[in-house]
Amino acid sequence: MPNLVVDFDKLLTLSGTDLGVTEYVEITQEQINKFADATGDDQWIHVDPERAKDGPFGAPIAHGFLTLSLIIPFWGELFDVDGVTTKVNYGLDKVRFTSPVKVGSRIRMQATIAEVTEVKGGAQIKVASTIEIEGQERPAVVAEFLARFYK
């Protein structure tokens, strides 16, 4: 169940709302390998643990886009809207991969609704999202996530 569930009619009043943080999830080598298989990105820094030990990060790292894709399940943990017929991931703005996520790291997302605007038949929200790495000061990803909700 999401931390905050609101009715569509309240959506336009939520600019500036801090949605808090998700639970931590561990990034596993199996997850990284599956992502590599799905995307064809099988660079050794991701999928070869032995070689990666001697690489620039000292261990295999998650693909930046794997980490970014976790915005979706994290998002579902934080927020939902009732009274809509359709919910759409509309896009991303200002995405930055600021730190590598080593295999075995635990990450979570902090999010704030930065802006809510009306669109034809619904509303669009811009969410300031930060994917944090447990025990590290620099986050893994900073992005603005866009979602649309239609009545």
Side-chain angles (χ1 to χ4, degrees), residues 1-104:
M1 182 84 174
N3 288 354
L4 177 63
V5 179
V6 299
D7 189 72
F8 178 83
D9 296 331
K10 291 188 90 177
L11 196 55
L12 292 174
T13 68
L14 296 180
S15 289
T17 301
D18 181 356
L19 298 176
V21 296
T22 65
E23 297 294 322
Y24 280 106
V25 297
E26 183 176 343
I27 299 301
T28 67
Q29 187 64 55
E30 179 183 11
Q31 198 175 19
I32 292 168
N33 293 346
K34 286 180 178 180
F35 190 86
D37 289 344
T39 61
D41 183 355
D42 59 355
Q43 188 178 158
W44 64 268
I45 62 172
H46 305 301
V47 299
D48 187 339
E50 287 306 310
R51 186 172 177 195
K53 285 180 188 175
D54 297 324
F57 307 109
I61 60 169
H63 304 75
F65 284 106
L66 166 58
T67 307
L68 180 65
S69 74
L70 294 175
I71 283 178
I72 300 308
F74 283 147
W75 176 241
E77 196 177 317
L78 293 178
F79 185 75
D80 200 7
V81 179
D82 283 337
V84 297
T85 61
T86 308
K87 303 169 188 177
V88 178
N89 302 323
Y90 190 68
L92 296 156
D93 286 341
K94 300 181 183 179
V95 176
R96 297 293 181 267
F97 302 110
T98 54
S99 288
V101 178
K102 294 179 184 180
V103 70

